[in-house]
Amino acid sequence: MDNGSRVVIEHVVPEVDCGRFPIKRTVGERVRVEADIFADGHDLLGAVLQYRREDTSRWTEAPMTLVENDRWRGEFTVSDVGRYRYTLQAWIDRFGSWARDLARMVAAKQDVAVELEIGSALVRAAGRRGNDADAPRLAAYADVLRRGGDEGARLALSDELEALMASHPDRERAATYERQLVVHVDRLRARFGAWYEMFPRSCAPEAGRHGTFADAEARLPYVAAMGFDVLYLPPIHPIGRTHRKGRNNAETAGPGDPGSPWAIGASEGGHKSIHPDLGTLDDFTRFVQSARRHGLEVALDLSFQCSPDHPYVREHPQWFRRRPDGTVQYAANPPKRYQDIYPFDFDTAGWRPLWEELRSIVRFWVEHDIRIFRVDNPHTKPFAFWEWLIGETMRAEPDVLFLSEAFTRPKVMYRLAKLGFTQSYTYFTWRTTKPELEAYFTELTGTPVREYFRPNLWPNTPDILHASLQEGGRPAFISRLVLAATLGANYGIYGPAFELCVRRAADPGSEEYLDAEKYQLVRWDIGRSDSLMDLIGRLNRARHEHAALWSDWSLRFHRVDNEQLICYSKSAPDSADVVLVVVNLDPERVQDGWTALDLDALGLAADVPYTVRDLLTGARYEWRGARNYVQLGAGALPAHVFHVEPGGAA
Amino acid sequence: MDNGSRVVIEHVVPEVDCGRFPIKRTVGERVRVEADIFADGHDLLGAVLQYRREDTSRWTEAPMTLVENDRWRGEFTVSDVGRYRYTLQAWIDRFGSWARDLARMVAAKQDVAVELEIGSALVRAAGRRGNDADAPRLAAYADVLRRGGDEGARLALSDELEALMASHPDRERAATYERQLVVHVDRLRARFGAWYEMFPRSCAPEAGRHGTFADAEARLPYVAAMGFDVLYLPPIHPIGRTHRKGRNNAETAGPGDPGSPWAIGASEGGHKSIHPDLGTLDDFTRFVQSARRHGLEVALDLSFQCSPDHPYVREHPQWFRRRPDGTVQYAANPPKRYQDIYPFDFDTAGWRPLWEELRSIVRFWVEHDIRIFRVDNPHTKPFAFWEWLIGETMRAEPDVLFLSEAFTRPKVMYRLAKLGFTQSYTYFTWRTTKPELEAYFTELTGTPVREYFRPNLWPNTPDILHASLQEGGRPAFISRLVLAATLGANYGIYGPAFELCVRRAADPGSEEYLDAEKYQLVRWDIGRSDSLMDLIGRLNRARHEHAALWSDWSLRFHRVDNEQLICYSKSAPDSADVVLVVVNLDPERVQDGWTALDLDALGLAADVPYTVRDLLTGARYEWRGARNYVQLGAGALPAHVFHVEPGGAA
């Protein structure tokens, strides 16, 4: 038996899994909140959105307004990294309801003397509640209402009294939403960034020599010139020798084979050590600082697995599963066996020290100025571990970002994002047709998924050379590059393989690179005249200059009457900046067609000319209305990245 | 830091508002439950659905099976009225995963000696867990596996061991879903029933005399002959004299005017008393028993409001709001005033005794064999009150049903349903076109709304004579009747006004009846030759004979190439019975057209003849495939209610 508030607050959006998980935002973003708010009867209601940083106790309030059909809306802006909370409060607006009814009675010329006395009591109570500068005025108004007559009726329905009473609502029996919901606020880089993945060991100018951090430092101007924001390095730790893989994933390594960087750990050390051939920890620190001066933030790989030679195997045998024959259980996906890799046994009774040790690895690199981690295969470790690890890390260092490399089933990928991963790899790599791309990116950017899952789009990785690149060659590389860089505010390429359009696979039907850099040193001819370096630079500059490309939520697809042409736009908040992209998905043929643009989405009026300026070529076209002609491919670039500018061409 | 189960159970369906409210079922119905269930890594999983009556503590388990994409499904049947709980449990299937991997290794001709030892340990552990008749067999099998060789490998992959191990899963670290969800189980009448609303006071055979329960008893064979299940009576209590309304809602009653039955309470008593002109409590009890012998269950009205003469006003002045002039606040919807009605003040400090007293009214009538209540305007009383009142009542008497008469905004109607109302009035009364009907009934029967909101469809009520009936006359009455009785497993009519096709409104544009029975005695000429009595009888018999019409969830709309013809089907579980309805929505003209039937929904194969037999006329047609011709209206009935029978016509 509970005679609580008469007001119901339900169906709050955003809210992930009944509030079990936070929503994600970046600094400066708005949180727009909607809810169904209603009460029994016919009274008017008042409502506010309440929010606060989690480390403060005072709520700030933002007004909520009725949209329609009992749906209310309000919003606030998050200004700091870390966690915020938000909830809602709503109440019956007795004075507003009274004034509404009174107006109807006055219009019907009914006697309202008694009603004015009722109103007087409401105003007097507001004056007593306020205890502020308005109290005397409210008391005086209450007297006027009480005296009634024309003067009382006039005051009762005045805008002045309405405004005054609206600022002194009776919230004694207000309803508070049953949950406090959480916003996790990251820095901008969580939402917007161009990544470049590079193996430092392949940065030596001479063929055959193992590159060092000094060599990698010399490569920084090249990467910076392409306009990237994040430089991601595969593991930089000592590499195991036992069962080391040779070139092209050979079972046995040759004498000079460096092994896979993901087979972490050797006598020289493990996850907190630097591969001796790359240099020292000081060399690494210098490299990170130099990268920062070039506008590049270095991201490290977190691969929680060991080579058989990792010191952990000897020091913490209980962290690995034993086979009945006494050997350690290696990684396997039967019938495939990865005998160079020992997974941790997260089911071990000694899981607490294991978790703590892994947490200390993150702390170690954070202390060495690393704030971005790309996490290898998180879907093969327990969910509870990640929620703990990321939660602990971000509590201490809220500017740290984690990218989830989980190429697995959709619900597992989404779960990892909910648990705390800042960004996630996606299926973009395998979505190549127009219907596939439209359906997938509508799911990622136009459904509640976007509240917690931030896509990071990669056309290639050291593990994945998609058939469309193998077959399509340079035009396909350009199309996929433009798609990644404009569909995704976060995207990345694995270079220099990407900009050099490397497209030979290990075997027919395979997505593995031939002579993959994972297993051998590679000397890249980065100066090649057909490199996409310049184009990438133009694209990344366009991304930096156009706020429309800093986020994914405004993505809107537009129709084109050719299935090989995909067309979409993005706009900055309040449409201050609009970018329109058209890409030819056919690497072999010229394709043309007519657009059917959604002019509203572009912030354009019908039948007024406007200019589209290609940010890749500088070309300008005067367009008008929804229907415009485009032709792309063969010789010309297979993509337009237009800035949409109101007004005709100069 | 919590190294709990590695298995996630989420997105459970059905689940209303994060488990805040129960779902509804009736005795014998299935509860089909789906959930996303997955773990990190690549192991196979096992899962069960657990359920129990709330008053027992032992769970029963039903298997869950993987549908696709990490979605699992299971079901159970509820066999008793009252409340059930259900939840889910899932675990990693170590043996199944091991067997799957082993099969791949065997296929690749790898050495599996060590693997067989691992499997042996799993089987041995199962034997120790079981502690049952299987234990010796499991121990023996473990030995065979341990010895290895061809015999071990053969056993490892045998169906026998698979089945044996499946019945001894290792659930030590199983995940249990975080919520226990509730099913409220009603008796069948909650889901399926035809209601007839009748004023006993108008049952006297002589004009001008106030009818009695004895007169109403004489009317029972008439109502029973039409095949109704529930006989609903407007309030039967003493009616106030102060501000009593006259005929046609006149401000002042004439000397013989009986007043509105909803102005409850006079010197003769209140909500627990019988209007003296109807008879005594004994007369009422006799009437209820007689109705039962006619197959009719009597439903009473619960109107929680008082006339100014109600004993409560004198005995419990604190239950009503005072105006500043000392008078009691009457009901109002400004500028309209209902001075014959005093609402209860649910905000009163004395709300506890008020709630208890209202609860005692329900208890009183329950003790007088009433098990169905139609609740007047529940949306003008606090939600918390209804949740408490219905909860308390049903805990004691789980076979009691409450029908919510809330004609208000959709979210308020849905909230009342969630809070416990068994059934709800709907917008059916105002949905008259094909798109309106299709959209509304798709929402009610094909979305999660159906888990808690049970529609009860009324083409008319004493308050609502819709324009389509006023204008359309007899054909419109028939169409609306057939729609109500077949779209809704629960439906009702207000009679005899309905079957006599009474259609004169109080004023043009009004939905009020002229000379409404609410304010005066009416003598109905129930023997009129143009009465719909026979048709209603045939329709209600068809409803009883065809299980397809006992529920709403199977409703499927079929296309017809004429906007005035609406076509839909319902089928019993497992398609044991299929009914197909076509209704002409145009009361004035013959309409014809071609169907485009969804044969799958009808359980029919393409290109095979079948028979449709009209349950209203007995006519039979041989149809074939999706496309068939229908013509309805003008002279002929404006509706077909077909039973669909496989095979050609005899």
Side-chain angles (χ1 to χ4, degrees):
Chain A
M1 201 161 179
D2 170 14
N3 190 33
S5 174
R6 298 170 72 149
V7 184
V8 170
I9 304 173
E10 64 173 19
H11 297 157
V12 175
V13 168
E15 174 180 295
V16 181
D17 292 2
C18 305
R20 164 76 176 80
F21 299 106
I23 61 165
K24 295 191 173 99
R25 292 292 187 277
T26 52
V27 168
E29 271 191 306
R30 280 188 288 206
V31 180
R32 169 173 287 191
V33 178
E34 291 193 353
D36 293 341
I37 303 180
F38 53 87
D40 64 283
H42 305 286
D43 285 330
L44 299 180
L45 305 182
V48 290
L49 175 59
Q50 303 183 310
Y51 63 98
R52 61 176 172 86
R53 280 178 38 168
E54 203 169 62
D55 56 2
T56 64
S57 59
R58 252 185 85 87
W59 294 103
T60 305
E61 294 190 341
M64 296 200 74
T65 54
L66 177 61
V67 185
E68 60 170 350
N69 189 17
D70 294 324
R71 193 80 181 150
W72 292 64
R73 183 184 294 156
E75 62 180 40
F76 63 98
T77 298
V78 287
S79 49
D80 303 300
V81 294
R83 285 160 63 101
Y84 282 69
R85 288 185 174 247
Y86 61 99
T87 192
L88 297 87
Q89 205 171 85
W91 58 88
I92 289 176
D93 177 5
R94 294 213 183 283
F95 180 83
S97 307
W98 170 86
R100 174 200 58 189
D101 290 350
L102 187 83
R104 292 176 185 167
M105 297 168 78
V106 167
K109 302 195 190 309
Q110 295 177 356
D111 177 10
V112 296
V114 177
E115 303 304 323
L116 288 174
E117 280 196 66
I118 293 173
S120 169
L122 293 174
V123 174
R124 197 173 305 281
R128 282 196 296 266
R129 254 194 323 276
N131 237 348
D132 65 5
D134 294 331
R137 196 148 58 107
L138 286 161
Y141 286 166
D143 287 341
V144 175
L145 291 180
R146 190 177 174 76
R147 283 195 298 272
D150 285 353
E151 199 194 347
R154 226 179 358 257
L155 174 65
L157 302 177
S158 68
D159 293 346
E160 190 194 350
L161 185 59
E162 181 186 357
L164 190 61
M165 286 297 288
S167 62
H168 295 81
D170 178 6
R171 291 166 61 173
E172 196 195 335
R173 293 188 56 199
T176 300
Y177 182 56
E178 60 193 307
R179 285 185 272 276
Q180 289 184 10
L181 303 168
V182 176
V183 194
H184 183 95
V185 183
D186 293 300
R187 56 190 167 113
L188 175 62
R189 185 59 68 233
R191 174 159 61 93
F192 172 66
W195 290 47
Y196 188 77
E197 176 171 4
M198 181 182 86
F199 284 69
R201 72 185 185 186
S202 292
C203 288
E206 312 90 321
R209 178 167 72 72
H210 193 289
T212 64
F213 283 124
D215 296 320
E217 205 175 328
R219 183 67 59 85
L220 288 172
Y222 166 77
V223 179
M226 288 189 282
F228 285 99
D229 306 300
V230 178
L231 177 55
Y232 152 50
L233 309 182
I236 55 174
H237 316 299
I239 296 171
R241 284 171 191 84
T242 304
H243 293 298
R244 175 181 285 188
K245 293 286 202 274
R247 292 166 172 250
N248 287 307
N249 202 17
E251 284 266 341
T252 324
D257 287 348
S260 162
W262 283 274
I264 296 171
S267 54
E268 298 88 349
H271 286 76
K272 297 174 190 169
S273 302
I274 300 279
H275 194 298
D277 290 352
L278 287 171
T280 65
L281 192 54
D282 283 346
D283 296 339
F284 172 71
T285 299
R286 190 161 44 246
F287 170 75
V288 170
Q289 289 166 350
S290 179
R292 182 159 304 135
R293 283 192 297 274
H294 282 90
L296 289 162
E297 183 171 351
V298 172
L300 286 194
D301 188 287
L302 278 186
S303 291
F304 286 151
Q305 59 189 22
C306 298
S307 96
D309 306 323
H310 197 295
Y312 288 156
V313 177
R314 191 170 23 83
E315 295 164 10
H316 302 282
Q318 72 279 17
W319 290 352
F320 303 89
R321 184 166 290 165
R322 293 276 143 190
R323 289 161 62 82
D325 62 356
T327 60
V328 176
Q329 180 64 60
Y330 45 81
N333 184 13
K336 286 194 211 159
R337 290 180 281 204
Y338 308 98
Q339 287 161 308
D340 57 333
I341 303 289
Y342 287 175
F344 289 111
D345 177 15
F346 282 90
D347 286 334
T348 175
W351 59 273
R352 277 172 193 275
L354 170 61
W355 286 26
E356 292 289 0
E357 176 62 22
L358 298 178
R359 161 90 179 93
S360 80
I361 293 170
V362 177
R363 203 184 291 117
F364 179 87
W365 293 110
V366 165
E367 283 162 6
H368 287 85
D369 265 0
I370 298 301
R371 289 290 186 281
I372 306 183
F373 297 94
R374 176 269 197 194
V375 179
D376 193 74
N377 280 328
H379 57 292
T380 59
K381 289 94 188 171
F383 297 119
F385 167 70
W386 293 119
E387 186 168 31
W388 172 82
L389 179 78
I390 297 173
E392 288 290 300
T393 301
M394 287 189 172
R395 216 179 317 279
E397 308 280 347
D399 61 341
V400 173
L401 313 180
F402 291 89
L403 166 61
S404 160
E405 189 250 12
F407 288 121
T408 182
R409 284 132 46 223
K411 287 162 189 174
V412 175
M413 292 171 67
Y414 288 155
R415 182 78 180 188
L416 289 163
K418 291 180 201 170
L419 290 169
F421 279 94
T422 318
Q423 302 181 349
S424 307
Y425 282 68
T426 70
Y427 301 143
F428 166 73
T429 319
W430 298 274
R431 298 292 179 270
T432 55
T433 68
K434 178 152 111 172
E436 284 170 353
L437 288 163
E438 289 187 350
Y440 187 49
F441 284 91
T442 298
E443 174 176 329
L444 294 186
T445 66
T447 75
V449 164
R450 71 185 193 180
E451 300 290 348
Y452 53 85
F453 186 91
R454 285 204 197 94
N456 193 329
L457 316 188
W458 291 73
N460 75 329
T461 77
D463 292 317
I464 311 168
L465 173 64
H466 188 265
S468 61
L469 297 177
Q470 297 178 33
E471 294 154 15
R474 200 167 185 275
F477 276 77
I478 297 175
S479 295
R480 297 297 292 173
L481 173 73
V482 171
L483 288 168
T486 56
L487 283 172
N490 290 303
Y491 88 106
I493 58 171
Y494 153 56
F498 191 88
E499 62 265 28
L500 298 180
C501 302
V502 172
R503 59 174 175 133
R504 287 186 62 194
D507 302 294
S510 160
E511 291 188 339
E512 290 281 336
Y513 279 92
L514 179 68
D515 301 329
E517 203 171 0
K518 273 193 295 181
Y519 306 110
Q520 66 188 72
L521 305 180
V522 176
R523 193 190 156 274
W524 297 107
D525 181 8
I526 58 172
R528 249 171 50 197
S529 61
D530 61 349
S531 167
L532 299 179
M533 179 186 150
D534 282 347
L535 180 71
I536 294 170
R538 272 175 280 157
L539 199 50
N540 281 335
R541 268 190 298 283
R543 284 169 46 92
H544 278 113
E545 284 164 12
H546 292 279
L549 298 173
W550 298 359
S551 134
D552 294 329
W553 289 22
S554 65
L555 180 66
R556 186 74 52 92
F557 289 99
H558 302 266
R559 281 184 293 128
V560 196
D561 59 359
N562 179 333
E563 272 305 281
Q564 294 295 337
L565 295 179
I566 187 168
C567 176
Y568 50 89
S569 64
K570 283 183 166 180
S571 52
D574 311 318
S575 297
D577 183 66
V578 181
V579 168
L580 178 73
V581 179
V582 193
V583 178
N584 177 3
L585 301 174
D586 176 357
E588 296 182 5
R589 279 166 293 271
V590 175
Q591 296 286 349
D592 65 354
W594 290 85
T595 63
L597 302 175
D598 174 350
L599 295 177
D600 273 354
L602 300 174
L604 295 171
D607 283 327
V608 173
Y610 53 96
T611 302
V612 293
R613 178 167 56 88
D614 195 322
L615 299 171
L616 301 180
T617 63
R620 289 163 181 272
Y621 307 89
E622 183 173 317
W623 281 11
R624 181 187 286 267
R627 194 170 149 79
N628 298 283
Y629 179 76
V630 281
Q631 185 187 46
L632 287 166
L637 277 179
H640 286 306
V641 178
F642 286 132
H643 185 235
V644 179
E645 296 165 2
Chain B
M1 201 163 179
D2 169 15
N3 190 34
S5 174
R6 297 170 71 150
V7 183
V8 170
I9 304 173
E10 63 174 19
H11 297 154
V12 174
V13 168
E15 175 180 296
V16 181
D17 292 2
C18 305
R20 164 75 175 82
F21 299 105
I23 61 165
K24 295 190 172 100
R25 292 292 187 279
T26 52
V27 168
E29 272 191 306
R30 280 187 289 204
V31 180
R32 170 173 285 190
V33 179
E34 291 193 354
D36 293 341
I37 304 179
F38 53 87
D40 64 284
H42 306 285
D43 284 330
L44 298 180
L45 305 181
V48 290
L49 175 58
Q50 301 183 310
Y51 63 99
R52 61 176 172 87
R53 280 178 37 169
E54 204 170 60
D55 55 3
T56 64
S57 59
R58 252 185 82 87
W59 294 102
T60 306
E61 295 190 342
M64 296 199 75
T65 53
L66 178 62
V67 186
E68 60 170 350
N69 189 17
D70 293 325
R71 193 80 180 150
W72 291 65
R73 184 185 293 156
E75 62 180 40
F76 64 99
T77 298
V78 288
S79 50
D80 303 301
V81 295
R83 286 160 62 101
Y84 280 68
R85 290 185 172 247
Y86 61 100
T87 192
L88 297 87
Q89 204 171 84
W91 58 88
I92 290 175
D93 177 5
R94 294 212 185 285
F95 179 82
S97 307
W98 170 84
R100 174 201 58 189
D101 290 350
L102 187 82
R104 291 176 186 167
M105 296 168 79
V106 167
K109 302 195 188 309
Q110 294 177 355
D111 178 10
V112 295
V114 177
E115 304 304 323
L116 288 174
E117 280 197 65
I118 293 173
S120 170
L122 294 173
V123 173
R124 195 174 306 280
R128 280 196 297 266
R129 256 195 320 278
N131 240 346
D132 65 3
D134 293 332
R137 197 149 54 110
L138 286 161
Y141 286 166
D143 287 340
V144 175
L145 291 180
R146 191 178 174 76
R147 282 195 297 274
D150 286 351
E151 200 193 345
R154 228 180 354 258
L155 175 65
L157 302 178
S158 68
D159 293 345
E160 189 195 350
L161 185 58
E162 182 186 356
L164 190 60
M165 287 297 289
S167 61
H168 295 81
D170 178 4
R171 291 166 60 172
E172 197 195 335
R173 293 188 57 199
T176 301
Y177 183 54
E178 60 193 306
R179 285 185 272 277
Q180 289 184 10
L181 303 169
V182 176
V183 194
H184 184 94
V185 184
D186 294 300
R187 57 190 167 112
L188 175 62
R189 186 58 68 232
R191 172 159 63 92
F192 172 66
W195 291 47
Y196 188 77
E197 176 172 5
M198 181 184 87
F199 285 68
R201 72 184 185 187
S202 293
C203 288
E206 313 91 322
R209 178 166 71 74
H210 194 288
T212 64
F213 282 124
D215 297 319
E217 206 174 328
R219 183 68 59 87
L220 288 172
Y222 166 78
V223 179
M226 288 188 282
F228 286 99
D229 307 299
V230 178
L231 176 56
Y232 152 52
L233 309 181
I236 55 174
H237 316 300
I239 295 171
R241 285 169 189 86
T242 303
H243 292 298
R244 176 180 285 189
K245 293 284 203 272
R247 294 169 170 247
N248 286 306
N249 202 17
E251 283 266 342
T252 325
D257 287 348
S260 162
W262 282 274
I264 297 171
S267 55
E268 298 88 349
H271 285 75
K272 297 174 190 168
S273 302
I274 300 278
H275 194 297
D277 291 351
L278 287 171
T280 65
L281 192 54
D282 283 345
D283 296 338
F284 173 71
T285 299
R286 192 164 38 247
F287 170 76
V288 169
Q289 288 166 350
S290 178
R292 183 158 304 135
R293 283 192 296 274
H294 282 90
L296 289 162
E297 183 172 353
V298 172
L300 286 193
D301 187 288
L302 278 186
S303 290
F304 286 151
Q305 58 189 21
C306 297
S307 96
D309 307 323
H310 198 294
Y312 288 157
V313 178
R314 188 168 28 82
E315 294 164 9
H316 301 283
Q318 71 281 15
W319 290 352
F320 303 88
R321 185 166 289 165
R322 293 276 143 188
R323 289 163 61 82
D325 62 357
T327 60
V328 175
Q329 179 64 60
Y330 46 81
N333 185 13
K336 286 195 210 157
R337 291 180 281 203
Y338 308 99
Q339 287 161 308
D340 58 333
I341 304 290
Y342 288 175
F344 290 111
D345 177 15
F346 282 90
D347 286 335
T348 175
W351 60 272
R352 277 172 192 276
L354 169 61
W355 286 26
E356 292 288 2
E357 175 63 22
L358 299 177
R359 161 88 178 93
S360 79
I361 293 171
V362 177
R363 202 183 292 116
F364 179 87
W365 293 110
V366 166
E367 282 162 6
H368 287 85
D369 265 359
I370 297 301
R371 289 290 187 282
I372 307 183
F373 297 94
R374 176 271 197 194
V375 179
D376 193 75
N377 280 330
H379 58 292
T380 59
K381 289 94 188 170
F383 297 119
F385 167 70
W386 293 119
E387 186 168 31
W388 173 82
L389 178 78
I390 297 172
E392 289 290 300
T393 302
M394 288 191 173
R395 214 179 319 279
E397 307 282 346
D399 61 341
V400 174
L401 313 179
F402 292 90
L403 166 62
S404 160
E405 188 250 12
F407 287 121
T408 182
R409 284 133 46 224
K411 287 162 191 176
V412 175
M413 292 171 68
Y414 288 156
R415 182 78 180 187
L416 289 163
K418 291 181 203 170
L419 290 168
F421 279 94
T422 318
Q423 302 181 351
S424 308
Y425 282 68
T426 70
Y427 302 142
F428 166 73
T429 318
W430 298 274
R431 297 291 178 274
T432 55
T433 68
K434 177 152 113 172
E436 284 170 353
L437 288 162
E438 289 186 350
Y440 187 50
F441 284 91
T442 298
E443 174 176 327
L444 294 186
T445 66
T447 74
V449 164
R450 71 185 193 181
E451 300 291 347
Y452 53 84
F453 186 92
R454 285 204 197 93
N456 192 330
L457 315 189
W458 292 72
N460 75 329
T461 78
D463 292 318
I464 311 169
L465 172 63
H466 188 265
S468 62
L469 297 177
Q470 298 178 31
E471 293 154 14
R474 199 166 185 275
F477 276 78
I478 298 175
S479 294
R480 298 295 293 172
L481 173 74
V482 172
L483 288 169
T486 55
L487 282 172
N490 290 303
Y491 88 106
I493 58 171
Y494 153 56
F498 191 89
E499 62 265 28
L500 298 180
C501 302
V502 172
R503 59 174 175 132
R504 287 184 63 192
D507 304 293
S510 160
E511 291 188 340
E512 290 281 336
Y513 278 92
L514 178 69
D515 301 329
E517 202 171 0
K518 273 192 297 182
Y519 306 110
Q520 67 188 72
L521 306 179
V522 175
R523 192 191 157 275
W524 297 107
D525 181 8
I526 58 172
R528 248 170 50 198
S529 62
D530 61 347
S531 167
L532 299 180
M533 180 187 150
D534 282 347
L535 180 71
I536 294 170
R538 272 175 279 157
L539 199 49
N540 282 335
R541 267 191 298 284
R543 283 170 46 93
H544 278 113
E545 285 164 11
H546 291 281
L549 297 173
W550 299 359
S551 134
D552 295 328
W553 289 22
S554 66
L555 180 65
R556 186 74 52 92
F557 290 99
H558 302 265
R559 281 185 292 130
V560 196
D561 60 359
N562 178 333
E563 272 306 280
Q564 294 295 338
L565 295 178
I566 188 168
C567 177
Y568 50 90
S569 64
K570 283 183 166 181
S571 53
D574 311 318
S575 297
D577 182 67
V578 180
V579 168
L580 178 72
V581 179
V582 192
V583 179
N584 177 2
L585 301 173
D586 176 357
E588 297 183 4
R589 277 165 295 271
V590 175
Q591 295 286 350
D592 65 352
W594 291 84
T595 63
L597 302 175
D598 175 348
L599 294 176
D600 272 354
L602 300 174
L604 295 171
D607 283 328
V608 173
Y610 55 95
T611 302
V612 294
R613 178 169 56 90
D614 195 321
L615 300 170
L616 301 180
T617 63
R620 288 163 181 271
Y621 306 89
E622 182 174 319
W623 281 10
R624 181 187 287 265
R627 193 169 151 79
N628 298 284
Y629 179 76
V630 282
Q631 184 188 46
L632 288 167
L637 277 179
H640 285 307
V641 178
F642 287 132
H643 186 235
V644 179
E645 296 165 1

